[in-house]
Structure formats: C-alpha cells, structure tokens
Amino acid sequence: MEALIPVINKLQDVFNTVGADIIQLPQIAVVGTQSSGKSSVLESLVGRDLLPRGTGIVTRRPLILQLVHIDPEDRRKTSEENGIDGEEWGKFLHTKSKIYTDFEEIRQEIEAETERVSGNNKGISDEPIHLKIFSPHVVNLTLVDLPGITKVPVGDQPKDIEIQIRELILKYISNPNSIILAVTAANTDMATSEALKVAREVDPDGRRTLAVVTKLDLMDAGTDAMDVLMGRVIPVKLGLIGVVNRSQLDINNKKTVADAIRDEYAFLQKKYPSLANRNGTKYLARTLNRLLMHHIRDCLPELKTRINVLAAQYQSLLSSYGEPVEDKSATLLQLITKFAAEYCHTIEGTAKYIETAELCGGARICYIFHETFGRTLESVDPLGGLTTIDVLTAIRNATGPRPALFVPEVSFELLVKRQVKRLEEPSLRCVELVHEEMQRIIQHCSNYSTQELLRFPKLHDAIVEVVTSLLRKRLPVTNEMVHNLVAIELAYINTKHPDFADACGLMNNNIEEQRRNRMRDLPSAVPRDKVYSQGASVSEQVDSGTGNWRGMLKRGEDGVPADRAVLQPPIPASPQKGHAVNLLDVPVPVSRKLSAREQRDCEVIERLIKSYFLIVRKNIQDSVPKAVMHFLVNHVKDCLQSELVGQLYKTGLLDDLLTESEDMAQRRNEAADMLKALQKASQVIAEIRETHLW
C-alpha cells in the first residue's frame, strides 16, 4: 500500500501537464491561523528550511507540496541522469525541468512566484504553486499549505481579506478526497480554534480531520496539554498529535530541523513520557502517511469512475470539434446537406435529438394548427359585435324608400360577410406563428443537431441568412393565399349549401310549431279561421319554400301598427311663424321594446347568420392549415437543400465560409491534451489493479 501515494503523485503530475483541477485527488490540506506554526510543521515534515518566513500573512498562494521518498539506488540513478549533486532536490511545475538543490533558492523562488501573481501588497491568489521534493528522509505525502486565517486586514490588504482567505480554504477542504490537518497553538484555547471551527463546517463528523497542537513548550507555567492530547477537550476522529516548533530565535540562530526534532523528542520524554511515542514530528509524518494511504485506497473506486466519465465527455467534445478540414468542397457540401436533413427531420419529428423540455418543430406546428388556431376560431362569437339595432338598421337600409313585405336577402348577406371577415385576423396570426416556429427550428438545429457548425461561425451565419431569407419570401405568398381563402368565402354566399339548407328547414319547422302553439292558446271567442287567414301568408311561404330561407321571412301580421318601428323619430311640434322646418334632420333612435314582428325578424336573421358562419368557420379551420403547410412548410422543406447549395456552394466562398473561429483550434488542442491525460490516468489506475495494490 505504500506505493499508493506515488501513484497519486503520478496522477497529479498527469493533470498538472494540462493545468487542470477537474479531478479532486486525495491530499492533505493544512489549515490554521496566522503564526499558529503551520509552516514549522511542514518544514519539520520535509526536514529542511524551504518556506518563506516573516510577520503577518506570508503564505499568500496555496502551495501544493509533494514529498517523494527515494531510495539510494533511485537517487544515484536520477543524480547521474540529471547531473544532480546532492541527495535531496526540488522541482517547480512552473519552471518546467529546472532542478533546485539549494533549498534557500527554493524559498526565494516561492516568494518570487507569489509576488508575480499576488503582487507585493499582501493580497492573496487561489492559483497554486506546485513544488515536488525528492528526498530519502521524507515519507510519501501530498500536502497543501494554505494562507493563515486572519481577521483584520493590514497594510494594503483588501477590506474583505478575511472572506477571501476563508473562501480559499473552503475550496480545498471541501474536497471530499482531502484530509484536513487542523493546526492550533497549545497556548490558545482549543475551544475557540478557528482551524477546527472551519474544518467542522465541511466535516461535521470529523471523519477526515486530524488535529495538530503546536508550541507545546510555550504553555504557561503550571499548565500542560495532557487533557488536550488525550482528546478530552476536543474529540477528533482521526486523532490529535502534539509537536514542538522551532522558535524565532532558533530560526535566527540557524538551528536545523534535525536538531529541533531531537530536542522535541527530549521535551516529550520529559514532559509527557506516557504520550511521547504518540506525539512528535516523526509520529505525525508516519500517521499522515498511513491515513493518506488508507484514504487513497477508499477514494480510488470513485476516482476511477470519475476519470472514465470525464474521458467519455472529452472524447465526445473532441469529436464535436471535428478534425482539421482537408477537402473544403466536400466538407461544405456535407455540412449543408446535414443541416437541411436535420431541419426537415425536426419538422417531421424524426430528429436525432428530441427536445424534452418543450414542443419543437413539427409538434409545435401541429399544436398551433389544432390548439392555438382552432381554439381561437372557436372563441369567435358568430354574432359578436352585432346588436339588435344593427340588424334592424341593416334590414331597413336594404328596403330603401318602400315598406317591405319580406326581409331583404341583401341584409343577410351584408351582415354575414361582416361576421365572416372577422376570421381573417386569426388566420393570418396562424401563419405568423408557424413562420416564427420555422425560424426557431434553425436555432434548434444549430444547438443540438449540427454542432460542427459551431466550428465555422461564418458558415453558420450564412446558413441562417439563407433559411431566413427563404422563409421571408414565402411569408407574403402564404399570407396572400390565406387572405384569398377568406375572400373566397366573402365572394359568394352560398345559401344552397346542404348544411345551410338543413338549418333553414329546421327553423321552418320551429316557426310552424310556434304558430300552432299560439293558435292553441287563443281564447275561444276569437274565430280561428280569421286568425288562420291573417297568418296564412306566412305559413304558405314556409310550407312551399322548404330550403329557401326567404320563405320564412314573409311578414303576414297586418295587425302590427306602423308607428312601432325601432327607430321612431320624435313628433315635431307645429311650425311657428318665423321658424323653418329642417327636412334633413336624421331620426334619432329611441330606446323602446321591440314589436313581435321586429323580434321575429331579428331572431331569424341571427339564426341564419350563426348557421352560415359556423359553416364558413369550419371551412377556414380546415383550409388554412392546409394552405400554410403547402405554401410555407412543405415548400421550405422541398427547396431548402437546393437553396442552400445554390447560394453557398461556390468556389469563391469556400475559404471564407470554412474559416474556423479563433479559439476553436485552441479548444481542440486543449480537449485533446485533457483526453490524453485522462487516458493516461486511467492506465495508471489499471496498473494498480494489476499489482494488487487496490
């Protein structure tokens, strides 16, 4: 299992080559407040002075520190190959293959790289510095040194420095594959430890938190850390380890880490003899190594799955970017043909990519025809906008100066045309909605069906322009046809239509039934033959004219007084001397109750209008979708391929249309590099299985 950590280091190297952190690898994140002794703990684990020192915030960028244990044989071989003089050395990711054997130079490089990105105003950055240390004196570990938790900004630090540091720390410790090393000074209250507090936020059960208590030698006289080290104060699942740091005086006097570790052992034996073998830097290193190995073993199954999923995603992404174009003529024709086919398939409902969030293509067109348009027509009231006064006025205007015995047919035609005309607006709106959906299909095909077009933005724009132009040309033709469909209905009012004749016959029977009921209800003193003779003209016209709608409009009730017209003018006063009478005055309608004859006339006309309107509406509801499909949808489907080829498949346009977007080549290379890294990582994990390490 010891070999698992080098495997993770190898995976880290693989992903470092592509500069990606899409895989959260197992590592140890070091968290603590400023001056809690974080840097001293890390240097003790390395065994060398290599981290920047100073007051205030010193660690201003995450430092990913990989410790690689090398045995003498590997060290000798590596030294010969790279010309290294020494048993320990370091390498930075950003300096490529440069090798550092002077650890003071490593410290200077960390400071320089920090200032290069974060500036010299004590600001922080989340861009990590990668450092790998090779040594026979270290155990295999991957540690992340994070900026110390602070509360108050100093110097030129931004006002929200506390929030920035907190978010940076949470970014790393939220990784479920990380172990949290919470560092707290022994001369502070453990109950108020900021490191343990922030660790609890992402690891409430403490299953991946290890606490380190530093500065055991600086506790107040008469006190000790026995209760803390025994876990009686703050229980932590992975344990709690105490260490002794070098003081600032020790550092100034160039006290080595090795000497500090010896002094630490002596202090623990003297102060905490019963706990000496479970505390100290060496025990901490072994514990971290063991925890990390077990953690890696637990994380590998999920890590393998994640790598395989990402590899498949990047393979698909790389395929969508396509290969560099060699035969431009064939590529252009292929893309045009594919777009035209996908456009037609989307209309027909056979597209490869089916939209699940909303109706699209042919399904939406069907919805427009049978739901939107159909319901709109059904909501149009056959008598909407018509009042009784309108009907009576139309009847009187159609009779001219002569009193009429029958209701003139012209009044019916005038009124029914007015109502039929109202069907034109929703019909044209139906054309507009279908046209809009045909436009939306263009974007749908670009987003889901032909991703290759994203490689060539100019070709994409040109295709959109051609299809939009074709739709634009078909719109007025379709509108004109729909307008003509309504105009055809208005051109000839077919009162001999079978459905209309049946409606007239039914109304004739109703009127005859009403006449008989009235006769049955008359008093016995009234001679029925006289009543019959007065209404004979009506019944004769009805019985002799079944199917002829005018047959029921004859008025035979001579008993209705002539002065009960609906538009009765006021009786003028007698002209007085010196006052002329204006004969051009228009009669003003007076609100009054309609006579029986007027009510019957209006009722018959309204029924006829409603009957004929429903016939026309049924025709329009059937013919408009057919016209739209023929003149717009089917025409575009049939002509789209030839239109695109005719407009775009030209030698002079090849180079311009097939020019890739500026960042497409870069994205293709990045995707290829990432795919290689993922495939290599998959191979590394496969090697673990073969060697039975997992």
Side-chain angles (χ1 to χ4, degrees):
M1 275 183 42
E2 179 68 26
L4 285 177
I5 297 178
V7 168
I8 292 299
N9 290 341
K10 192 173 182 180
L11 289 177
Q12 184 72 60
D13 293 341
V14 168
F15 292 115
N16 285 344
T17 58
V18 292
D21 56 356
I22 58 173
I23 297 291
Q24 295 179 319
L25 296 173
Q27 57 192 8
I28 300 171
V30 185
V31 182
T33 58
Q34 287 183 19
S35 305
S36 62
K38 289 191 301 85
S39 298
S40 296
V41 171
L42 290 174
E43 288 182 337
S44 298
L45 294 173
V46 177
R48 300 294 294 265
D49 294 330
L50 77 162
L51 299 177
R53 293 281 183 173
T55 58
I57 183 170
V58 177
T59 304
R60 297 189 286 126
R61 288 178 60 184
L63 174 65
I64 299 179
L65 180 62
Q66 292 176 262
L67 304 183
V68 182
H69 177 79
I70 54 174
D71 56 37
E73 181 61 26
D74 292 338
R75 178 173 57 81
R76 184 186 60 78
K77 183 179 179 181
T78 306
S79 298
E80 292 176 356
E81 292 177 354
N82 296 280
I84 300 173
D85 184 16
E87 64 176 8
E88 298 176 302
W89 65 89
K91 291 174 64 175
F92 286 98
L93 177 63
H94 63 273
T95 59
K96 306 302 180 186
S97 59
K98 183 178 179 180
I99 295 176
Y100 296 81
T101 56
D102 184 355
F103 280 81
E104 181 63 31
E105 189 177 353
I106 290 178
R107 180 189 309 187
Q108 293 173 359
E109 180 60 31
I110 293 174
E111 292 176 346
E113 180 65 10
T114 298
E115 291 189 359
R116 184 183 67 82
V117 175
S118 303
N120 54 8
N121 63 344
K122 299 296 183 181
I124 67 170
S125 170
D126 63 351
E127 183 179 342
I129 299 174
H130 293 268
L131 172 61
K132 186 179 291 187
I133 300 295
F134 300 85
S135 171
H137 308 300
V138 299
V139 294
N140 292 310
L141 288 175
T142 300
L143 302 147
V144 182
D145 186 20
L146 296 168
I149 301 172
T150 185
K151 292 293 185 181
V152 181
V154 296
D156 296 333
Q157 287 181 342
K159 300 298 183 183
D160 62 341
I161 187 67
E162 178 187 0
I163 298 175
Q164 291 185 24
I165 294 176
R166 177 182 175 82
E167 291 177 349
L168 177 57
I169 292 173
L170 289 174
K171 174 183 176 182
Y172 280 87
I173 67 175
S174 296
N175 172 12
N177 295 333
S178 68
I179 294 176
I180 305 171
L181 191 64
V183 179
T184 304
N187 55 359
T188 61
D189 188 356
M190 288 290 292
T192 61
S193 170
E194 290 290 338
L196 289 174
K197 179 182 177 183
V198 72
R200 286 276 178 86
E201 294 184 18
V202 296
D203 183 33
D205 297 331
R207 296 183 181 277
R208 53 188 181 91
T209 301
L210 174 66
V212 175
V213 180
T214 62
K215 305 181 181 181
L216 290 176
D217 57 332
L218 298 182
M219 295 190 69
D220 294 338
T223 62
D224 61 32
M226 184 65 71
D227 289 342
V228 173
L229 297 178
M230 293 292 290
R232 297 169 184 163
V233 178
I234 301 292
V236 182
K237 292 287 180 65
L238 295 185
L240 194 149
I241 300 174
V243 297
V244 177
N245 302 72
R246 290 181 297 169
S247 65
Q248 188 62 44
L249 180 61
D250 293 336
I251 296 172
N252 295 339
N253 293 335
K254 304 298 182 182
K255 184 176 181 178
T256 64
V257 175
D259 292 339
I261 291 177
R262 283 194 296 269
D263 292 344
E264 176 192 52
Y265 179 75
F267 174 83
L268 291 174
Q269 287 290 346
K270 178 182 178 181
K271 190 72 173 178
Y272 306 98
S274 62
L275 302 177
N277 62 340
R278 286 182 288 155
N279 290 277
T281 301
K282 289 187 176 181
Y283 180 77
L284 174 62
R286 293 195 302 269
T287 301
L288 290 175
N289 178 262
R290 174 177 55 82
L291 290 174
L292 187 57
M293 283 191 299
H294 285 86
H295 197 62
I296 291 171
R297 182 192 61 187
D298 296 339
C299 294
L300 276 179
E302 183 181 349
L303 193 62
K304 178 179 180 293
T305 302
R306 173 68 173 160
I307 289 175
N308 291 338
V309 169
L310 285 173
Q313 291 177 351
Y314 273 92
Q315 181 65 64
S316 176
L317 181 63
L318 187 61
S319 300
S320 70
Y321 291 153
E323 297 295 331
V325 178
E326 295 181 359
D327 188 344
K328 293 187 175 182
S329 179
T331 300
L332 179 60
L333 185 59
Q334 178 184 0
L335 291 174
I336 288 175
T337 303
K338 185 173 182 180
F339 179 88
E342 289 294 340
Y343 191 92
C344 296
H345 291 162
T346 303
I347 294 176
E348 295 166 358
T350 58
K352 181 179 179 181
Y353 296 93
I354 300 296
E355 181 67 56
T356 58
E358 61 178 354
L359 292 179
C360 178
R364 182 177 284 271
I365 293 175
C366 179
Y367 183 86
I368 292 171
F369 286 157
H370 302 292
E371 297 293 334
T372 306
F373 178 59
R375 290 180 179 177
T376 301
L377 289 187
E378 291 174 1
S379 67
V380 178
D381 183 5
L383 301 175
L386 276 183
T387 64
T388 303
I389 297 299
D390 294 334
V391 176
L392 291 178
T393 302
I395 294 173
R396 294 184 63 180
N397 284 337
T399 60
R402 299 173 302 279
L405 296 176
F406 307 100
V407 175
E409 185 175 353
V410 175
S411 62
F412 164 73
E413 291 194 4
L414 172 68
L415 294 173
V416 81
K417 284 182 179 181
R418 170 179 167 181
Q419 298 306 100
V420 169
K421 183 68 175 176
R422 298 168 61 211
L423 298 175
E424 182 175 8
E425 182 180 351
S427 300
L428 294 176
R429 177 57 181 162
C430 176
V431 178
E432 183 181 351
L433 291 175
V434 174
H435 178 267
E436 291 175 358
E437 179 56 28
M438 300 284 281
Q439 285 283 148
R440 290 179 68 248
I441 296 176
I442 302 175
Q443 190 63 37
H444 173 82
C445 292
S446 301
N447 291 342
Y448 298 100
S449 306
T450 52
Q451 293 234 354
E452 294 92 337
L453 287 178
L454 300 178
R455 295 177 58 192
F456 313 108
K458 291 186 178 180
L459 175 60
H460 176 268
D461 294 342
I463 288 178
V464 171
E465 179 60 32
V466 171
V467 181
T468 302
S469 177
L470 178 60
L471 290 171
R472 193 185 303 120
K473 286 190 294 186
R474 298 306 301 173
L475 184 59
V477 177
T478 310
N479 280 335
E480 182 180 2
M481 182 59 198
V482 171
H483 173 77
N484 287 337
L485 289 176
V486 179
I488 288 170
E489 297 291 347
L490 295 173
Y492 180 66
I493 304 301
N494 183 17
T495 56
K496 289 292 186 181
H497 191 283
D499 295 341
F500 187 67
D502 292 343
C504 290
L506 182 61
M507 281 188 287
N508 290 343
N509 295 335
N510 290 340
I511 292 176
E512 178 64 17
E513 181 67 22
Q514 291 174 5
R515 185 186 68 79
R516 291 172 181 172
N517 291 338
R518 286 198 302 271
M519 292 177 63
R520 188 181 306 115
D521 296 338
L522 285 175
S524 57
V526 180
R528 292 183 179 272
D529 55 346
K530 182 176 181 180
V531 173
Y532 179 78
S533 63
Q534 290 178 347
S537 58
V538 176
S539 61
E540 288 172 2
Q541 291 290 340
V542 170
D543 296 336
S544 63
T546 302
N548 181 358
W549 70 274
R550 287 196 299 170
M552 61 181 171
L553 300 179
K554 178 181 178 182
R555 297 297 178 260
E557 296 185 4
D558 299 331
V560 178
D563 61 349
R564 294 181 63 185
V566 68
L567 298 178
Q568 180 178 357
I571 301 175
S574 301
Q576 299 177 3
K577 185 177 181 180
H579 294 276
V581 178
N582 187 357
L583 298 179
L584 297 181
D585 283 344
V586 179
V588 179
V590 178
S591 176
R592 60 172 176 78
K593 184 177 180 180
L594 299 179
S595 67
R597 176 177 177 176
E598 290 170 340
Q599 289 179 351
R600 186 176 64 252
D601 290 350
C602 290
E603 180 181 353
V604 170
I605 288 291
E606 288 174 354
R607 288 184 178 181
L608 292 173
I609 291 174
K610 184 175 181 179
S611 176
Y612 195 83
F613 180 88
L614 294 179
I615 294 171
V616 174
R617 186 173 72 182
K618 182 178 179 181
N619 294 340
I620 294 295
Q621 191 170 352
D622 179 65
S623 59
V624 167
K626 292 178 179 178
V628 174
M629 287 298 297
H630 177 73
F631 287 92
L632 181 61
V633 180
N634 290 342
H635 186 278
V636 171
K637 281 174 52 182
D638 297 339
C639 299
L640 182 59
Q641 170 79 9
S642 58
E643 189 76 13
L644 288 171
V645 172
Q647 295 287 338
L648 303 179
Y649 192 65
K650 299 177 182 178
T651 306
L653 298 177
L654 285 178
D655 293 335
D656 186 49
L657 292 178
L658 294 182
T659 301
E660 286 189 323
S661 59
E662 295 179 358
D663 60 339
M664 182 57 67
Q666 178 182 352
R667 283 190 286 173
R668 185 189 298 112
N669 293 335
E670 290 176 353
D673 292 341
M674 180 59 69
L675 182 60
K676 285 182 181 179
L678 291 167
Q679 291 172 342
K680 190 173 182 180
S682 183
Q683 293 175 358
V684 171
I685 294 181
E687 292 173 1
I688 301 176
R689 278 188 174 277
E690 293 175 1
T691 55
H692 305 287
L693 293 173
W694 179 8

